Amino acid sequence: DDDRTPRALECLHTFCTECLGPLAAQQNGTRIICPTCRTPTTVPDGDVTKLLCNFALKDAALVFAATAPTYVGTAGVDVCEVCEEGVVTTRCVECGDCLCGRCTIIHRKQRFSRGHVVQPI
């Protein structure tokens, strides 16, 4: 099982399998005290991989990873896909373009993309 698999506690807070291991070890592997709300969760058979997987979060992480900026310039930073000069600060949800600050402003003003949702990265 992947150490980064998101696992839901009984309180519905979610943490990766890797982070839950040490939390369970603090309680002899039998339960986890949620670091967010302090609610205890029983660990089935002392195995954190048997806690329920938060599939919604797992799927969202996969989508994010698949659509994350991939255009990297020579300096090793994400470079704007439009001007190929500026450092990426946003991504247009509709177009999928990763934009620098200057191109984000222009993208939000152009008639064809004025209504697009542009999110910070």
Side-chain angles (χ1 to χ4, degrees):
D1 206 24
D2 184 10
D3 285 344
R4 303 299 292 172
T5 299
R7 304 274 172 196
L9 301 179
E10 291 173 11
C11 58
L12 302 181
H13 287 116
T14 300
F15 301 91
C16 69
T17 305
E18 180 180 17
C19 294
L20 291 173
L23 292 174
Q26 292 174 1
Q27 302 291 322
N28 297 321
T30 59
R31 67 184 189 152
I32 293 171
I33 304 298
C34 176
T36 303
C37 69
R38 311 301 298 162
T39 300
T41 294
T42 301
V43 178
D45 301 324
D47 184 358
V48 294
T49 64
K50 291 186 178 180
L51 291 168
L52 293 177
C53 175
N54 184 333
F55 287 106
L57 185 58
K58 185 175 183 176
D59 290 346
L62 290 173
V63 169
F64 180 78
T67 60
T70 56
Y71 185 79
V72 179
T74 56
V77 296
D78 294 329
V79 178
C80 178
E81 294 177 5
V82 176
C83 71
E84 297 182 353
E85 294 175 6
V87 176
V88 170
T89 58
T90 62
R91 180 175 182 277
C92 176
V93 174
E94 281 79 10
C95 298
D97 290 339
C98 294
L99 309 164
C100 67
R102 186 180 74 205
C103 290
T104 299
I105 292 168
I106 295 168
H107 195 76
R108 287 180 172 153
K109 290 183 178 181
Q110 290 180 329
R111 180 175 288 146
F112 79 91
S113 57
R114 182 178 302 156
H116 289 186
V117 175
V118 180
Q119 296 179 331
I121 293 181

